[in-house]
Amino acid sequence: MFQHDVGLPAGSGKTDAISTAQRFLPGRYEKPFIRNHVVAEVVETLTAGSGCGVVLVGEHGAGKSFIAQRALEQLGPDYAVVQIRGSSISSKLPYGALSVLLNDLDASHLEHPLMVLRGLTQVLHNKAQGRSVILFVDNAHDLDELSSMMVAQLSAGAHVTLLAACVDLPHVGGDIMGLWKDDLLKRMDLAPFDFNEVAASLGHEYGGRFSHTAARALWSASGGNALFLHSLAREQIKLGTIVRQDGVWVLGKGPIALTGEIRDVVKARLNRLSPGQRDVFELLALAGAVPLQTLMNIADPQDMDALQERAMIHVSHEHPPMVSVANRLSAGIVASVVPPGRSAELRRRLTAVLQDSEQADAGSSAGVAWALDCGEQISPELALAAARMANNSSDPAAALRFLHEIQGRGAVSRVAVESVQAHLSANNSDSARRVLFTLDSAAGEDIPLADWTSLQLLRAELDKRSDSTAADAHARLQEIGRRLSAEPDEDPAVLDTAWQRLRLAEAELAVFEGRYQDVLSMTDNPGGSLLDTEAGILTASLRCEAMAVTGNVIAALGLGKQVIAAAGSVALADRAVREIRGRFLLLMLLSAKFREAAAFLAGSSGTADPQERLGGMFEIGQGVLDLHAGLLDDALPRLQAGTEQLLAQDPDSVAGLAMAAFAYAAALQGDEEKASLQLAELAQLQPHASWLVGRMTRYFELCALAELGQRATAIRGLVAEADRDTGSSALTPGLLFLSAAARLGDRQVALKLGSLAVRVTGTFAALCVRLSEGVKESDSEQLLAVSKDSDSAGNAIFARDAARKSVNSANDAGNRIALRIGQRTQQSLDDRFGSPKNGLHSLTTSTLTARECEVAVRAAAGTSNRKIAEQMHVSVRTVEGHLYQVYSKLHVASRSELKDVISTPAESARLG
């Protein structure tokens, strides 16, 4: 039971009761740990000399023992560590956890607690040899009553400083609990890992970045439990569910598999429950969710309370309150290992207390799946409802299973609707088409108008997904309109719903094709009361995009925030939430609202929603933000991981955008080979993306070309794209293209930028106006202010180029002070991007010749004129002539001043 050296596994064979705390040595744990701040807080508390110590509280697998071990290793040789461990076996024996320490005491001492305390105190004093004693009690909730009392007495008497770890405080002995109540023992709760901690932990453990989808799949399945997380990750890598592609980890086409090691971990945890607690846990795992009152009619409330105290089950705030297993992974595994006979018995116990009206609702689709597993026959209506719920929850496999149970007993058209929807959710367009072809071949069923409309809308969606059939989508929608107009005797409610769905489909198609003026005329400012239905929220989201693209950015973002808020308060299908969130994120990137986009990304990614409610834009959103901020060391792996993931799974057709952004980031960092490879692969990719995704893809592609040395070609392309978009009233994308051309190009393009920017609202447009005015007036100070404000807004690329123009203006005006400030600002921004070329960019393209730049960099590095001449194979007189021109153009008078201007290493200046 006793473990002596900190960090050694139980049963290591050691027999000494006291060990010297060893300082943490790099390499003891080769991989970094993400909660070092918690370790530091534990160490600080243990060494403060006040109070009795620390108690770490967290569920099994939360990392309590690991954090404790890391903290103990940092204490140093002035501390002696004693470690004891509670267990279910030792908890049944008097002084069970302390048995190793008590071996040195006379048996007669064990007859009275005071004698035991004195004996323990003496043992610890003798073996500590003057050092402070840290008593580490692992699994403190499993201490027997006498051991708990001794631990508390040793701590209260300052004989030891206590470091305890437990699942929950209520099950810790009353004596230790009293130390906490008296504020002598500091409580530190270890919550499950949040998403960012999961992503960091996975990267540290396995090397290489995990894609957003892969990390969230593991986070969602594990519930953030550290033990579950890494057990699950190892198993998925072993099975090939998560695979490594070019150094990054991505989720393949299959779902997370709950097998192997993780199943053993969950089963071991289940075995620690009492019989009554196990009944409750297994029933909830199988049912999915059960009304609280119903569960209380089956189970002992004390068993329910115990599970809730240990955070193993969750009670919702709905009406009526519903009870479910807190961790989805545990629920899934437990449900899969319950023997059939026991499953059937639990099912009978539940159904015996359910009212008839509750039979169909208990557990929703999970309850229906359980009924099928138990051999029950379900009605077609219940199977269809369960399939619809499964489709809305991004579970097409379950939907198809439920539909299979109908077997011709229900309406063929309604079954076809859900079948097609399931296949579309699984990105299997061919199977969806086969279902529709089979329906067409069936003889003579009179399909109700609502079902016919649904089927035609699904056909239009399929048409839209392929270039060869895209034009058919228009005809399909027109056919629906003609049919609805010819049905005056139809139920008004059915007819009205069909018209709403048609209008929404027409707006979606117009947005997909970039016909934004049509969208504005179709939608007519849906707000207020219309934001309480899925159709209304989706329509408002489409209008939001149209407003932003046509230049009304401020109003669009205001409406977008209303849409996001409404989407959080109305029950929506996963696909609707994904579309709304992805659109809003794209619009913030389009309008350069980078700070707001970062907050939105973090907030959305931090929710417990499955990845299916986030979508493809979340794979690359943070990478695009890092790119613009100049954080290329972060941007490149994020964008690479996103690209690889989207090449495996791309339901929103944004893989091309990911590749273009990845190419731009690589070009900015100077990796021409990687950038060129991405652009070549982009040229081979043929995704059927939406109009706006296509425009953003083209923008990054042209910006990458400019960084790769094709500056003139890129500028011409940017101007042409800007003219094209402006001509079709897509003012904001036009402004994005033209702003890049103006930052890279000449004065005429900058003046043209100002004329367009005044037609667009928002902070980015205002920056473009100021940039244009600064170039027009050759005002280096205004351009420098634009650079500063752009950088503050998270747009270091814009800031870098504005600083370059400030340097040019100051140089032309001979303003030495402004020139020096501008050069330093530019140098700082260039250094952030990390490419050797960035530091020399403006000097070689606008101020100095390539030869002069090479001489200047070498001179700034301290190389003598004679040595420069030897290195460049020219005469000393030639070097002196170049330096004269450099001093004149840069308005400096000495090498020391030149060094202030140029900090780029000489090796990077080999241009001639």
Side-chain angles (χ1 to χ4, degrees), residues 617-633:
M617 279 306 302
F618 283 79
E619 280 293 343
I620 58 170
Q622 189 60 53
V624 172
L625 296 178
D626 291 340
L627 181 162
H628 283 94
L631 305 175
L632 298 182
D633 288 342

Side-chain angles (χ1 to χ4, degrees), residues 619-844:
E619 280 293 343
I620 58 170
Q622 189 60 53
V624 172
L625 296 178
D626 291 340
L627 181 162
H628 283 94
L631 305 175
L632 298 182
D633 288 342
D634 293 326
L636 278 166
R638 289 185 192 277
L639 291 170
Q640 181 182 3
T643 298
E644 295 292 344
Q645 182 63 66
L646 290 168
L647 289 174
Q649 298 179 17
D650 188 21
D652 305 311
S653 297
V654 293
L657 175 55
M659 295 173 73
F662 184 19
Y664 188 23
L668 283 168
Q669 199 173 55
D671 192 338
E672 296 186 2
E673 181 179 357
K674 184 177 290 184
S676 299
L677 178 62
Q678 287 299 309
L679 292 179
E681 292 183 0
L682 175 62
Q684 301 300 316
L685 191 69
Q686 296 181 338
H688 197 57
S690 69
W691 183 90
L692 185 54
V693 169
R695 301 311 288 151
M696 295 288 285
T697 303
R698 180 62 173 158
Y699 169 76
F700 285 127
E701 180 184 11
L702 289 171
C703 289
L705 289 175
E707 294 293 331
L708 290 174
Q710 301 180 45
R711 189 184 186 87
T713 301
I715 292 173
R716 287 195 299 271
L718 288 165
V719 172
E721 298 292 356
D723 290 342
R724 171 184 168 187
D725 287 348
T726 305
S728 62
S729 298
L731 302 183
T732 305
L735 182 66
L736 191 65
F737 282 110
L738 197 57
S739 70
R743 289 185 283 107
L744 299 169
D746 58 20
R747 187 170 184 270
Q748 292 302 314
V749 181
L751 295 179
K752 186 175 182 180
L753 175 67
S755 300
L756 175 57
V758 296
R759 301 168 60 189
V760 179
T761 65
T763 53
F764 179 68
L767 281 172
C768 290
V769 170
R770 292 168 59 195
L771 177 70
S772 176
E773 291 175 347
V775 173
K776 177 181 178 181
E777 303 297 332
S778 296
D779 189 336
S780 60
E781 293 182 359
Q782 178 169 334
L783 290 168
L784 201 59
V786 170
S787 174
K788 179 180 178 181
D789 292 344
S790 301
D791 194 23
S792 297
N795 198 343
I797 296 176
F798 198 104
R800 178 200 66 175
D801 295 341
R804 288 174 177 174
K805 290 194 174 295
S806 174
V807 169
N808 295 343
S809 296
N811 185 69
D812 293 343
N815 186 337
R816 185 172 177 177
I817 296 176
L819 176 64
R820 189 66 51 81
I821 296 173
Q823 287 169 333
R824 288 173 178 169
T825 301
Q826 177 193 329
Q827 188 68 57
S828 175
L829 289 162
D830 284 335
D831 289 346
R832 192 184 306 175
F833 286 93
S835 169
K837 293 184 177 181
N838 282 319
L840 304 174
H841 180 86
S842 67
L843 295 178
T844 58

Side-chain angles (χ1 to χ4, degrees), residues 79-372:
Y79 293 87
V81 176
V82 178
Q83 180 171 342
I84 63 175
R85 184 183 186 88
S87 68
S88 58
I89 296 176
S90 67
S91 67
K92 298 176 175 61
L93 303 173
Y95 302 113
L98 297 171
S99 59
V100 174
L101 289 176
L102 297 177
N103 286 338
D104 293 335
L105 299 184
D106 189 278
S108 62
H109 290 176
L110 302 180
E111 297 176 0
H112 194 282
L114 183 57
M115 298 293 290
V116 174
L117 178 61
R118 287 177 179 173
L120 283 173
T121 301
Q122 190 62 45
V123 168
L124 294 172
H125 176 76
N126 292 341
K127 294 192 175 184
Q129 298 178 352
R131 294 167 292 170
S132 299
V133 177
I134 304 294
L135 178 61
F136 173 34
V137 182
D138 205 358
N139 290 342
H141 51 276
D142 279 333
L143 291 182
D144 63 278
E145 184 177 347
L146 290 173
S147 292
S148 176
M149 180 180 66
M150 285 299 116
V151 168
Q153 290 296 323
L154 288 169
S155 303
H159 304 294
V160 301
T161 300
L162 179 62
L163 173 58
C166 64
V167 172
D168 50 19
L169 271 181
H171 287 82
V172 173
D175 296 280
I176 296 178
M177 187 78 158
L179 297 177
W180 170 67
K181 289 180 177 179
D182 293 338
D183 290 330
L184 297 174
L185 193 63
K186 182 175 182 178
R187 172 175 176 166
M188 295 177 61
D189 290 277
L190 297 184
F193 285 173
D194 62 25
F195 172 66
N196 289 331
E197 288 178 318
V198 163
S201 180
L202 290 170
H204 292 161
E205 181 68 20
Y206 303 101
R209 183 174 293 276
F210 276 64
S211 72
H212 194 275
T213 292
R216 278 190 61 85
L218 291 170
W219 179 50
S220 178
S222 68
N225 181 285
L227 176 62
F228 287 177
L229 173 69
H230 291 292
S231 296
L232 191 64
R234 285 191 293 270
E235 191 66 23
Q236 304 317 300
I237 291 171
K238 178 181 177 181
L239 294 172
T241 307
I242 290 178
V243 296
R244 189 162 189 157
Q245 300 281 6
D246 292 333
V248 299
W249 297 96
V250 300
L251 182 67
K253 297 187 180 301
I256 294 292
L258 305 180
T259 60
E261 178 185 342
I262 185 61
R263 178 171 292 202
D264 294 336
V265 170
V266 173
K267 288 170 67 176
R269 188 180 184 189
L270 184 66
N271 290 335
R272 289 194 288 266
L273 301 179
S274 69
Q277 293 169 1
R278 182 165 183 157
D279 284 352
V280 174
F281 198 80
E282 289 182 340
L283 187 147
L284 292 175
L286 291 162
V290 174
L292 175 60
Q293 188 58 50
T294 300
L295 189 60
M296 293 180 67
N297 292 332
I298 303 173
D300 185 337
Q302 291 185 349
D303 292 326
M304 296 167 57
D305 290 343
L307 291 172
Q308 190 173 9
E309 286 174 358
R310 298 174 67 175
M312 295 183 69
I313 64 174
H314 170 73
V315 181
S316 74
H317 298 290
E318 302 170 342
H319 183 74
M322 301 293 288
V323 188
S324 59
V325 173
N327 184 276
R328 294 200 307 168
L329 177 143
S330 297
I333 290 177
V334 170
S336 68
V337 299
V338 176
R342 177 166 173 78
S343 175
E345 171 59 26
L346 290 171
R347 177 79 183 167
R348 284 192 293 272
R349 289 171 60 183
L350 176 62
T351 55
V353 299
L354 288 176
Q355 302 294 327
D356 291 342
S357 60
E358 297 174 318
Q359 292 284 348
D361 297 329
S364 62
S365 59
V368 175
W370 186 19
L372 293 175

Side-chain angles (χ1 to χ4, degrees), residues 807-808 811 823 842-849 852 889-890:
V807 169
N808 295 343
N811 185 69
Q823 287 169 333
S842 67
L843 295 178
T844 58
T845 59
S846 58
T847 306
L848 305 179
T849 66
E852 289 168 351
K889 290 181 177 180
L890 298 184

Side-chain angles (χ1 to χ4, degrees), residues 498-509:
W499 275 114
Q500 289 181 24
R501 297 181 64 196
L502 174 59
R503 294 187 188 103
L504 175 60
E506 290 172 336
E508 287 175 333
L509 183 59

